[in-house]
Amino acid sequence: PYPANWEASYIDLTTAIVDPYERVWLGSHPRQSGRKNWVFDFRTSPPDTFEWEPSARQDPGTCFDDLLTGVTSWDIDSQGYLWVGAHNGAYYTQAGIPDDLNSLHFVCVYDLPVGQSVNAVHVDADDNKWFGTDDGVAVMDKNFTWAHVFKTSDAEENRSGLASNSVTSITSNPETGDIWIGTTDGLSRLQSPYVNRAGGLRDLKPYPNPFAADGAHRMFINHQDLGGVFD
């Protein structure tokens, strides 16, 4: 059940995700909700609701207009960072996703090499971040370095077989490395080397990092680091 003061019928929701703390994050379009977004914590009854306006919690002067406006997509990497696509750029949560959302802080990806409107964010099996924009696709590796840029075959630079530069969604198959890119002119498939690797304990990357072992917090691991899905 939704909290009694939350009028879902009046909100244009665009995306949702569940974080490692089992909270549900909801992004909205700014035309009806301003810049408000919500987090529901269903561990409590009734669910606790946290309403946040990203403009108050992101580094100033690093984005296109200093406001995270209109959440369109998000994903979580193996380090526990929440990556956010928005109408005016891409962001990530500083120091991962905090248990206490009052300390939530966003940092802007200010050097995005393509587009300004980020319609899709995806983290692949090798922890690369894929950003689908209104002007192509950019890929950032785990070291925060831009590794690839993809555009259509008739683009002046970074030509590829992308169906359209207007990208709407991105996903991948972690077993085969196939990257599926949805655009306004059709679906594109890219074969990549980014696949799951069967790992040992040395490959585990617990998060959040840093972790406070004070009995009040929980540590998580990404099951893909162990080479598969757990039932």
Side-chain angles (χ1 to χ4, degrees), residues 44-77:
T44 63
S45 183
D48 286 340
T49 306
F50 182 84
E51 182 180 297
W52 52 278
E53 296 186 43
S55 59
R57 295 182 175 87
Q58 60 113 9
D59 286 346
T62 58
C63 253
F64 300 110
D65 59 6
D66 298 337
L67 298 173
L68 193 166
T69 304
V71 173
T72 59
S73 177
W74 36 31
D75 205 348
I76 301 173
D77 68 14

Side-chain angles (χ1 to χ4, degrees), residues 93-170:
T93 50
Q94 188 178 55
I97 306 174
D99 188 16
D100 179 8
L101 292 180
N102 289 307
S103 61
L104 184 67
H105 189 81
F106 286 92
V107 179
C108 182
V109 181
Y110 63 89
D111 57 348
L112 189 68
V114 293
Q116 292 189 0
S117 181
V118 178
N119 306 314
V121 174
H122 176 67
V123 179
D124 67 24
D126 204 35
D127 223 28
N128 300 295
K129 288 70 174 175
W130 295 68
F131 302 95
T133 76
D134 56 354
D135 191 31
V137 175
V139 184
M140 176 188 288
D141 67 20
K142 63 186 68 176
N143 298 315
F144 284 67
T145 299
W146 294 110
H148 309 286
V149 174
F150 301 102
K151 292 192 177 186
T152 58
S153 58
D154 58 354
E156 293 184 3
E157 297 180 343
N158 305 302
R159 296 177 181 176
S160 71
L162 200 61
S164 168
N165 287 331
S166 181
V167 176
T168 58
S169 60
I170 302 176

